[in-house]
Amino acid sequence: MNKFLKWILLTVGFVAFIVVIAAVVLPMVIDPNNYKQEISDAVYKQTGRELIIGGDIRWTVFPSLGLGLSDVTLGNRDGSGDGPMFDIGEADISVKLIPLLSKRIEIGQVTLSDVSIKLKRKADGESNLQDMGQEGDSSASTSQADFSISGAEISNAYVTLESAGQTTEIKDFDLKESNIELGQPFVLKGGFTVNLTDEALAGDVKFAGFIQTAANGKRFGIEGLDVSFEGDRGEGKERVPLNANFSADADIDLTMDTAVLKNFNFKLYDLVVTGDLDVSSLTKQPAFKGKLKVAEFNPKSFIKAMGMEEPKTRNNSALTRLQADMRFSGSANSANLQELTASFDDSKLSGYLKIDDFEQLNLSFDFQVDQLNLDDYEEMESASTSSGQAESADLPVGVFRGFTGGGKFRIGTLVVAGLTATDVKTTMTANRTGVRFYPVDANFYGGKHEGDIKVDVIGDRPVLSANLGITGVQVGGLLEDMTGIARLLGQGDFFLQVQSDISNSQTSMQTLSGDIGMIILNGSVVGIDVTKMLGLVQSALGKQGDVSGQSTADERTEFAELSMSGTIEKGVMTSNDLIMQSPLLRATGKGSFNLVEETIDYVLEPVLIGDSGVQGLDKLSGNAIPIRLSGNLYEPDYKIDVAAAILSSQKDLIEEKKNELFNKLLGGKKKKDEKKD
């Protein structure tokens, strides 16, 4: 036993002696500075870049044998700017001696300080990292010896990335870890300061995670990955705080070329996004799939917190609640959102959305919404022109040119421009020259709506054309919601074929043109009592001047049928063929309606054809009484042409008197002639 112990001690002593001799003698015998050129040549062979070691190379000794370098630079790729890509002020790396005897590579402490890295990516996707290693010998093989690092420390690192015209700066990067060994877990923790100059975004990033690696270095797992950002966005008075956090569990398998994120959680202000993500073909053509959930948040508050102007909606409660849930899949140039459900304010949406090409935005979708009030989301007009009219923002043609493809919409209840439609169904198609909604079918105020709507964007302004047919509509409810006042009652059919520049709300009316027609049965005109007006005419017979007044909501004229057609030019509708019939009277009309200024200039000519029951009105029977409507389109003034009424009512008597006078004149002339003879 003593002999065995003696041999053990001798062996250990011999190994220690060899190690001490190597640690003491090696630095004295071998000067690593003599190998600078060989080291540079080897690096060039592997990377295609020139390595320059400006300072001295120094040995480190027991318990680890290593080298220390200073003022080390690695050249940049041609065309990637002046100066080196890497610049390292101090670098120290050591290898433990004892594990080498059993073919284990145990690196001691790796220390890097005052590091500068300049990365650049061109518009075509090429970067100054792309050719690294292309000059190396691909047939060379590496040892399969075990690998570990006792510790790693990086301090005062500075990284710049130029890409797509934007510069990203990472400063004060610090990392200090220990016991890094393949196949064994270790904790990763660090941080840095980032500055995105073009985005006016700056702040501190901290990261941490529990790392697990496979012994062959081909698989990495991260438990409890946590990345946080605390900084601000914007400049001067527009600067706002920006705090974000991301956490997840990750698994990267280089053998299978896959990556998995489980239980990821992203938080920015009150926006919280959670889900899972699987990525395949990670290093080739990545494809992804997963699920995503957006917890309910307030979009208005979020927009304001981001330093942008909060939208001013007609309904203050609009854009205050949004939540979404979906499954997704896709690639670097496509996405497919499946089982999509969302709640926004009082509306619920379900369906799917597929985008085949992010650059062309070729869409395919099918959405179903239970209810949607677009008027709630109409932006309040805040600016005014010198004339006092509100100014609306332009709607550029690019909005309609930015996508192709199409899909279906189904909406249970839709409110737009004050009008309500139910069971709305339409199909949208787009081809960059225009967008079409056809057919547009809906239940509409007790009747049916069928339409064909197009937006033409061939020119520099969007032009809408609409061909609409509405049958069996309750006109009173329609006009009440459209204008706030129901001036017509009854059941009607309408057709509308118009076009307009829809750049904004003003041009949409000022450029409106087309044709319109209607027929209404068994209804009434509210605000005008033709019988009362005829009574005023009767009482005014024989007097000078006109009879005038203002319409009131409690007056009405009933009819069996009312029909008219008209043309619209630059927002002014002209109609000369109105016909209204009832058992009491028949009326015709002609004139214009200015939809831009909301005024009316119209002449209605009723003719009494029946017994009104009003004493004295029988004298006006069969005579047209001109009534001019003018002023406000919704509450017009009226004026009755009494002179014309008198002329019409007394035409028989006037004709008789005219004949008598004519006969007298003729008779008197004859007598004078006879006396002369």
Side-chain angles (χ1 to χ4, degrees):
M1 179 69 180
N2 293 334
K3 188 176 181 179
F4 176 76
L5 181 60
K6 178 181 178 181
W7 279 106
I8 293 294
L9 292 174
L10 287 174
T11 301
V12 172
F14 176 76
V15 171
F17 175 75
I18 295 297
V19 169
V20 170
I21 292 299
V24 174
V25 174
L26 190 62
M28 298 174 61
V29 175
I30 301 175
D31 184 358
N33 290 283
N34 295 331
Y35 298 91
K36 282 186 178 182
Q37 188 59 47
E38 291 185 24
I39 295 172
S40 296
D41 292 344
V43 170
Y44 185 84
K45 184 178 180 180
Q46 291 294 323
T47 67
R49 308 294 181 86
E50 183 181 10
L51 176 71
I52 299 176
I53 304 174
D56 291 336
I57 303 176
R58 59 188 182 278
W59 285 106
T60 60
V61 294
F62 192 83
S64 299
L65 182 64
L67 296 173
L69 302 90
S70 61
D71 193 16
V72 181
T73 61
L74 182 66
N76 215 332
R77 185 184 185 185
D78 291 342
S80 296
D82 298 330
M85 184 174 70
F86 290 100
D87 190 337
I88 302 174
E90 297 285 342
D92 292 284
I93 183 170
S94 62
V95 179
K96 295 182 180 180
L97 296 175
I98 301 300
L100 289 175
L101 300 177
S102 58
K103 294 185 177 181
R104 279 179 50 84
I105 300 176
E106 290 191 14
I107 297 177
Q109 184 77 14
V110 177
T111 303
L112 300 175
S113 62
D114 300 328
V115 180
S116 175
I117 303 174
K118 296 180 180 180
L119 305 178
K120 188 172 183 178
R121 179 182 294 171
K122 297 181 180 179
D124 59 6
E126 290 189 0
S127 72
N128 58 348
L129 283 173
Q130 192 164 326
D131 63 342
M132 290 287 287
Q134 290 182 358
E135 301 294 329
D137 185 359
S138 61
S139 64
S141 61
T142 57
S143 172
Q144 298 297 317
D146 292 338
F147 171 84
S148 67
I149 301 176
S150 295
E153 182 175 350
I154 301 175
S155 62
N156 193 29
Y158 176 74
V159 181
T160 61
L161 171 61
E162 294 182 23
S163 178
Q166 176 174 295
T167 300
T168 302
E169 293 181 335
I170 296 177
K171 300 184 296 184
D172 303 327
F173 183 92
D174 292 310
L175 175 68
K176 187 175 183 178
E177 297 304 327
S178 59
N179 300 322
I180 302 173
E181 182 177 353
L182 293 178
Q184 298 297 323
F186 63 93
V187 175
L188 179 70
K189 188 176 183 180
F192 56 87
T193 298
V194 64
N195 183 16
L196 279 67
T197 55
D198 292 350
E199 298 294 334
L201 179 68
D204 296 325
V205 176
K206 295 181 179 179
F207 57 88
F210 186 74
I211 313 298
Q212 176 68 59
T213 63
N216 62 0
K218 295 294 185 179
R219 188 168 182 177
F220 303 87
I222 307 176
E223 294 182 13
L225 172 65
D226 188 90
V227 182
S228 64
F229 174 86
E230 184 173 352
D232 48 54
R233 179 178 180 273
E235 298 177 346
K237 295 182 179 180
E238 297 181 355
R239 187 185 299 270
V240 295
L242 185 63
N243 301 317
N245 179 265
F246 175 81
S247 62
D249 296 326
D251 186 0
I252 302 173
D253 191 329
L254 299 180
T255 302
M256 301 298 294
D257 203 22
T258 61
V260 176
L261 284 179
K262 293 291 186 183
N263 305 316
F264 71 75
N265 183 300
F266 174 76
K267 183 176 182 181
L268 178 61
Y269 300 116
D270 63 343
L271 171 65
V272 178
V273 182
T274 59
D276 299 318
L277 173 66
D278 294 344
V279 183
S280 58
S281 298
L282 179 64
T283 61
K284 300 172 184 176
Q285 295 180 338
F288 56 86
K289 64 179 181 179
K291 60 181 180 180
L292 194 69
K293 183 174 183 178
V294 180
E296 183 175 304
F297 73 106
N298 187 323
K300 274 187 177 178
S301 298
F302 180 80
I303 292 171
K304 184 177 181 180
M306 289 290 290
M308 296 179 284
E309 185 178 356
E310 181 180 325
K312 304 298 182 183
T313 56
R314 290 194 176 277
N315 185 340
N316 291 332
S317 298
L319 284 178
T320 59
R321 289 177 288 129
L322 176 61
Q323 177 273 331
D325 197 350
M326 72 193 76
R327 292 188 176 273
F328 62 89
S329 61
S331 66
N333 199 37
S334 66
N336 189 359
L337 309 184
Q338 307 159 345
E339 301 177 25
L340 172 63
T341 61
S343 298
F344 50 100
D345 300 325
D346 296 325
S347 302
K348 296 185 182 300
L349 175 147
S350 61
Y352 73 85
L353 169 64
K354 186 176 181 182
I355 306 175
D356 288 332
D357 188 331
F358 286 151
E359 292 184 0
Q360 300 297 322
L361 284 183
N362 185 20
L363 307 180
S364 175
F365 59 84
D366 190 328
F367 293 133
Q368 182 168 341
V369 183
D370 63 343
Q371 59 180 356
L372 179 61
N373 189 334
L374 291 178
D375 292 352
D376 286 347
Y377 301 93
E378 184 178 358
E379 188 172 358
M380 294 294 289
E381 298 161 335
S382 55
S384 299
T385 63
S386 58
S387 62
Q389 292 182 332
E391 265 205 51
S392 341
D394 282 344
L395 180 63
V397 294
V399 172
F400 302 97
R401 289 178 179 166
F403 56 90
T404 62
K408 296 181 178 180
F409 290 101
R410 295 186 299 277
I411 306 175
T413 302
L414 173 65
V415 178
V416 56
L419 303 179
T420 302
T422 60
D423 196 20
V424 180
K425 300 175 183 177
T426 188
T427 299
M428 187 202 82
T429 55
N431 61 3
R432 298 201 183 282
T433 62
V435 179
R436 185 182 186 187
F437 297 88
Y438 176 80
V440 183
D441 296 334
N443 295 328
F444 198 63
Y445 292 90
K448 294 289 185 181
H449 174 283
E450 296 178 348
D452 184 359
I453 301 174
K454 302 176 184 177
V455 180
D456 188 328
V457 291
I458 296 177
D460 58 356
R461 301 178 77 86
V463 177
L464 178 141
S465 60
N467 191 349
L468 310 178
I470 308 171
T471 58
V473 171
Q474 295 302 317
V475 180
L478 172 63
L479 293 180
E480 177 74 28
D481 288 349
M482 181 184 293
T483 67
I485 301 175
R487 287 299 185 186
L488 280 175
L489 303 177
Q491 180 174 295
D493 298 341
F494 297 82
F495 80 85
L496 184 68
Q497 189 171 3
V498 295
Q499 68 175 20
S500 174
D501 174 356
I502 57 171
S503 296
N504 55 58
S505 59
Q506 292 183 16
T507 60
S508 63
M509 275 298 179
Q510 293 170 348
T511 62
L512 183 66
S513 62
D515 300 303
I516 187 172
M518 70 176 184
I519 179 170
I520 304 174
L521 303 177
N522 301 319
S524 59
V525 180
V526 178
I528 299 176
D529 186 342
V530 175
T531 303
K532 176 183 175 182
M533 291 180 179
L534 294 178
L536 293 174
V537 172
Q538 173 64 30
S539 64
L541 291 178
K543 300 178 181 179
Q544 295 181 348
D546 296 328
V547 175
S548 61
Q550 188 174 27
S551 60
T552 59
D554 59 345
E555 297 178 346
R556 64 182 59 198
T557 299
E558 296 183 351
F559 57 82
E561 179 179 320
L562 173 65
S563 65
M564 68 175 294
S565 64
T567 60
I568 304 174
E569 185 69 28
K570 295 182 178 180
V572 178
M573 173 183 159
T574 302
S575 174
N576 297 319
D577 63 354
L578 179 140
I579 298 176
M580 183 175 67
Q581 300 184 69
S582 73
L584 176 62
L585 54 84
R586 183 178 186 276
T588 59
K590 60 182 180 180
S592 63
F593 305 85
N594 191 318
L595 304 179
V596 178
E597 299 179 359
E598 298 183 340
T599 59
I600 182 174
D601 184 8
Y602 202 78
V603 176
L604 184 68
E605 293 188 342
V607 178
L608 193 65
I609 59 175
D611 185 4
S612 66
V614 179
Q615 186 176 3
L617 280 189
D618 55 322
K619 295 180 180 180
L620 298 177
S621 181
N623 299 310
I625 312 297
I627 304 173
R628 178 174 292 276
L629 304 175
S630 61
N632 186 282
L633 177 61
Y634 307 114
E635 295 184 357
D637 298 326
Y638 65 83
K639 181 179 291 186
I640 305 171
D641 191 341
V642 176
I646 294 174
L647 184 63
S648 177
S649 64
Q650 302 296 321
K651 62 181 179 180
D652 292 339
L653 179 59
I654 292 173
E655 185 66 27
E656 180 182 345
K657 295 296 185 180
K658 182 185 71 174
N659 291 335
E660 289 181 3
L661 179 60
F662 183 71
N663 290 332
K664 285 182 179 181
L665 290 174
L666 291 178
K669 183 178 180 182
K670 184 177 180 182
K671 289 181 180 180
K672 289 180 180 179
D673 292 340
E674 288 176 350
K675 288 181 179 180
K676 185 176 181 180
D677 292 339

